[in-house]
Amino acid sequence: MTSDTYYNFLFHNTGQKFEEVALEEGVALVEDGAFISGMGLDFRDFDNDGYPDIVTVALNNQTFPVFHNVGGHGFEEITFPSGMRELSRSMGGYGPGLFDFDNDGWKDLFVTRGHVEALPKPGTEIEQCNTVFRNLGASGKWQALTAEAGLKASPPARHRGCAFGDFEGDGRVDVVVTALGRDAEIWMNRTERTEHWLEVRLEGTRSNRDGIGAVVKVVTKAGVQYNHMTTSVGYASSSHGPVHFGLGEEARAEQVEIRWPSGIVQTLRDVPADRVLNVKEASG
């Protein structure tokens, strides 16, 4: 949980209670030890190593901190080595979401941008355009795309919330964004290169109906990816939809594994791509 000019919090579920462990796990503060105005966050595996990472956003000159999960043994801040520090320093952010927008197999980062202030201040951009940071894969670097992604087609604003989903069923994740005193913005994903994709829609029986908390693993010839079912994304927002995977050039998944909150593990093999895969929790 991010905080505004205070320590962040991380609550570890022991199975019987929650313990606050942010300081010892390395996410309580950013790399220089300063308090920042933390806004939204997303918690997903962006480097395909099987462990969910954390991306948070903050205001101008505070950067968008990136915390890499070190194999389940705490977190390492990689804002500087990943290039995110330089890319985001001049930006103010509210709502982040980690989704594979170009379906290349690596989760990208969309950020709604704007400052908390309402009145212009010298040297501070109050109204801002949104940005998508492309995940450059194994290099561990990000690429900031604003005008290049078409996000300057709408005037800058004090953007806040965001929601994600494939609105027209073409396998590309789209975005809805809110802004203070403005109409909501709908950004349709028009990425030109056609890559394969797979979405997994869960129906729990022993677990909760929507399968929230289920971990999904997808294996193709190109490698392994992980994601999980959640509706909690961004800032003061919620997104409900299938768990999305970009498969790149792979036209089928060799294996899809679902680990349900109940403890049941289901495995499906040789699954064709470019479809929504409906999975009902097995009886165990």
Side-chain angles (χ1 to χ4, degrees), residues 186-203:
I186 300 178
W187 295 98
M188 302 303 295
N189 189 335
R190 294 292 183 253
T191 304
E192 293 182 2
R193 183 178 177 183
T194 302
E195 302 278 16
H196 295 291
W197 56 276
L198 181 67
E199 292 188 341
V200 183
R201 179 182 287 126
L202 303 174
E203 180 184 346

Side-chain angles (χ1 to χ4, degrees), residues 4 14 37 80 112 192 197 238 243:
D4 192 350
T14 68
S37 297
F80 177 74
T112 60
E192 293 182 2
W197 56 276
S238 182
V243 184

Side-chain angles (χ1 to χ4, degrees), residues 186-263:
I186 300 178
W187 295 98
M188 302 303 295
N189 189 335
R190 294 292 183 253
T191 304
E192 293 182 2
R193 183 178 177 183
T194 302
E195 302 278 16
H196 295 291
W197 56 276
L198 181 67
E199 292 188 341
V200 183
R201 179 182 287 126
L202 303 174
E203 180 184 346
T205 54
R206 292 183 59 186
S207 302
N208 63 85
R209 181 192 62 188
D210 296 319
I212 292 174
V215 176
V216 183
K217 173 183 175 183
V218 171
V219 181
T220 68
K221 291 181 180 179
V224 182
Q225 294 183 55
Y226 299 84
N227 207 336
H228 56 271
M229 179 59 195
T230 179
T231 59
S232 180
V233 184
Y235 172 84
S237 305
S238 182
S239 295
H240 186 282
V243 184
H244 181 90
F245 292 87
L247 302 186
E249 298 180 355
E250 303 302 322
R252 62 197 320 103
E254 296 180 341
Q255 177 180 310
V256 177
E257 179 187 275
I258 301 101
R259 292 184 173 271
W260 297 88
S262 65

Side-chain angles (χ1 to χ4, degrees), residues 101-125:
F101 294 103
D102 57 3
N103 285 334
D104 66 349
W106 298 91
K107 297 176 188 66
D108 310 297
L109 173 67
F110 185 97
V111 178
T112 60
R113 290 176 49 201
H115 202 276
V116 67
E117 301 286 350
L119 301 176
K121 294 177 64 176
T124 300
E125 187 180 10

Side-chain angles (χ1 to χ4, degrees), residues 31-284:
E31 54 195 357
D32 62 3
F35 290 149
I36 63 172
S37 297
M39 300 300 170
L41 64 80
D42 201 0
F43 180 59
R44 298 178 195 267
D45 176 19
F46 58 65
D47 58 355
N48 295 336
D49 66 353
Y51 296 93
D53 310 292
I54 300 174
V55 176
T56 69
V57 293
L59 299 182
N60 298 52
N61 300 313
Q62 296 179 347
T63 77
F64 298 163
V66 180
F67 297 94
H68 173 244
N69 190 328
V70 187
H73 300 285
F75 292 83
E76 169 191 19
E77 186 177 355
I78 59 169
T79 313
F80 177 74
S82 70
M84 184 61 76
R85 182 178 181 86
E86 180 180 355
L87 293 173
S88 64
R89 177 176 286 280
S90 63
M91 301 177 180
Y94 264 80
L98 287 162
F99 292 86
D100 189 352
F101 294 103
D102 57 3
N103 285 334
D104 66 349
W106 298 91
K107 297 176 188 66
D108 310 297
L109 173 67
F110 185 97
V111 178
T112 60
R113 290 176 49 201
H115 202 276
V116 67
E117 301 286 350
L119 301 176
K121 294 177 64 176
T124 300
E125 187 180 10
I126 303 299
E127 297 183 335
Q128 303 177 29
C129 292
N130 303 311
T131 296
V132 60
F133 296 86
R134 186 177 182 226
N135 186 339
L136 298 182
S139 70
K141 301 289 186 178
W142 302 91
Q143 178 187 16
L145 304 172
T146 303
E148 300 89 340
L151 295 171
K152 285 195 173 182
S154 181
R158 289 187 292 152
H159 298 103
R160 293 297 187 261
C162 51
F164 303 86
D166 180 5
F167 303 151
E168 53 189 354
D170 64 356
R172 293 177 290 188
V173 177
D174 310 298
V175 190
V176 173
V177 173
T178 64
L180 298 182
R182 303 281 185 89
D183 292 338
E185 301 169 6
I186 300 178
W187 295 98
M188 302 303 295
N189 189 335
R190 294 292 183 253
T191 304
E192 293 182 2
R193 183 178 177 183
T194 302
E195 302 278 16
H196 295 291
W197 56 276
L198 181 67
E199 292 188 341
V200 183
R201 179 182 287 126
L202 303 174
E203 180 184 346
T205 54
R206 292 183 59 186
S207 302
N208 63 85
R209 181 192 62 188
D210 296 319
I212 292 174
V215 176
V216 183
K217 173 183 175 183
V218 171
V219 181
T220 68
K221 291 181 180 179
V224 182
Q225 294 183 55
Y226 299 84
N227 207 336
H228 56 271
M229 179 59 195
T230 179
T231 59
S232 180
V233 184
Y235 172 84
S237 305
S238 182
S239 295
H240 186 282
V243 184
H244 181 90
F245 292 87
L247 302 186
E249 298 180 355
E250 303 302 322
R252 62 197 320 103
E254 296 180 341
Q255 177 180 310
V256 177
E257 179 187 275
I258 301 101
R259 292 184 173 271
W260 297 88
S262 65
I264 291 174
V265 179
Q266 278 178 264
T267 302
L268 297 86
R269 302 188 186 279
D270 197 25
V271 178
D274 304 326
R275 59 182 289 212
V276 178
L277 177 67
N278 294 302
V279 182
K280 187 172 184 178
E281 184 178 12
S283 58

